[in-house]
Amino acid sequence: MSYPGYPPTGYPPFPGYPPAGQESSFPPSVPPGQGFGVPPGGAGFSGYPQPPSQSYGGGPAQVPLPGGFPGGQMPSQYPGGQPTYPSQPATVTQGTHGTIRPAANFDAMRDAEILRKAMKGFGTDEQAIVDVVANRSNDQRQKIKAAFKTSYGKDLIKDLKSELSGNMEELILALFMPPTYYDAWSLRKAMQGAGTQERVLIEILCTRTNQEIREIVRCYQSEFGRDLEKDIRSDTSGHFERLLVSMCQGNRDENQSINHQMAQEDAQRLYQAGEGRLGTDESCFNMILATRSFPQLRATMEAYSRMANRDLLSSVSREFSGYVESGLKTILQCALNRPAFFAERLYCAMKGAGTDDSTLVRIVVTRSEIDLVQIKQMFAQMYQKTLGTMIAGDTSGDYRRLLLAIVGQ
């Protein structure tokens, strides 16, 4: 797939994304077996919010969420003490629902004119920019960019860059990149220069669909003239490298039907590769977690819980460490509830001192037309506060205004 005119004129190679050497603090430092929504004591399978067995991207339907954590208690790493979950399950709209939808009566030339006026003369009308950018789909933003060049003979991105700076600039640039290019760009940045942003590699490669991954691989080659798999091999090592290379193939089974016999057999194999032996057979975990469909993995996790009297997430914590542990757990979390995974990533980007703005921007932008509605719902359920409230408390100025407009606050 080609992206004419990319890398776009006006973008520096990787404007401030993420600052060199600044590693995300995700996941937070918690005792073994308690990360990623796993309740203390390792009894965590039922603790991670689980969606119904429908696939993501299906038709909208009102479905109940499960009752919550064992004994109605939330894990200790959640803020606000130990509040109980509501006795009646909440409902969540299942399916593909972003907070940004294509604008009706869209006129690219008119929007280009609004942006031109907002940047003309002294000062910048940031509110006018926010009003346009936050209320158009990515496809519509590409049309605005083309209309701007047609009408004024100037590059919209260059003009925006000259008017903006810091986090606001990074957010605007991200919104104007085509989604596949943005993912490829983020991966390239994560491996460029000294050090590697492993959390970015995990977040993108372990959560995207087969089609998305294949398009990212093609875009990475066409736009940066590099082979993504080779870059991963040169920047990572060991079992983490093998997991990411597996993810790069975009060959996960996407059949939505569940083979319960296979789930039982896989659960047994995983137990024998980990808890049931001295040492760990890492290749067995890699093979099953890299190839099985998400619904199939969910069934395997249920079978494992029944058989081992321990959930698979906590077993992975006991058997692995470092980035391969994070990658394997990310796959399992996406099998359980992809919006809950992104909700936790957002929370960790903002909790404590300082904000991981690059992660905040990347998730809000990449999920804004896919499942940000569900992410917001899971965020409120998991942390007893809204995503908008936390963003408002952690950001400021036009950057905050645009983020809140995107999340629909």
Side-chain angles (χ1 to χ4, degrees), residues 86-217:
S87 54
Q88 293 298 316
T91 59
V92 61
T93 305
Q94 187 69 19
T96 300
H97 289 290
T99 52
I100 291 182
R101 308 281 181 92
N105 305 315
F106 171 65
D107 183 336
M109 290 293 189
R110 183 182 61 206
D111 285 346
E113 185 181 1
I114 291 170
L115 293 177
R116 174 78 175 127
K117 286 179 178 173
M119 294 183 286
K120 209 174 168 187
F122 295 105
T124 306
D125 184 353
E126 284 90 354
Q127 186 60 55
I129 296 173
V130 168
D131 289 343
V132 170
V133 173
N135 294 291
R136 305 294 183 271
S137 67
N138 189 280
D139 183 63
Q140 289 175 333
R141 288 184 215 116
Q142 304 312 314
K143 290 181 170 70
I144 294 169
K145 199 160 54 177
F148 194 91
K149 185 167 280 189
T150 299
S151 295
Y152 306 109
K154 299 184 70 179
D155 188 277
L156 175 59
I157 303 303
K158 271 189 175 177
D159 276 17
L160 286 167
K161 277 185 59 59
S162 70
E163 300 289 332
L164 306 168
S165 62
N167 292 325
M168 180 65 168
E169 177 189 340
E170 182 176 342
L171 178 54
I172 289 280
L173 294 185
L175 287 163
F176 273 100
M177 291 188 202
T180 301
Y181 180 88
Y182 185 35
D183 276 346
W185 181 89
S186 299
L187 290 170
R188 178 74 190 109
K189 172 57 189 165
M191 292 183 282
Q192 195 179 46
T196 303
Q197 299 284 324
E198 288 89 354
R199 303 290 175 196
V200 178
L201 306 184
I202 292 168
E203 180 198 301
I204 294 173
L205 293 173
C206 293
T207 66
R208 303 305 194 245
T209 66
N210 286 346
Q211 183 182 346
E212 287 169 340
I213 287 173
R214 289 170 188 167
E215 288 176 357
I216 289 166
V217 170

Side-chain angles (χ1 to χ4, degrees), residues 232-234 236-246 324:
I232 285 170
R233 288 187 186 279
S234 67
T236 60
S237 61
H239 298 294
F240 180 53
E241 173 197 328
R242 290 172 211 169
L243 178 65
L244 293 184
V245 168
S246 293
V324 68

Side-chain angles (χ1 to χ4, degrees), residues 300-339:
T300 300
M301 294 173 80
E302 290 166 2
Y304 188 95
S305 254
R306 291 191 299 269
M307 181 197 69
N309 201 25
R310 181 192 300 281
D311 74 281
L312 188 51
L313 276 168
S314 64
S315 284
V316 167
S317 287
R318 288 159 62 93
E319 298 293 324
F320 294 88
S321 61
Y323 295 118
V324 68
E325 175 195 352
S326 298
L328 292 170
K329 287 165 80 172
T330 295
I331 293 167
L332 293 174
Q333 283 183 285
C334 285
L336 283 175
N337 189 335
R338 189 183 278 126

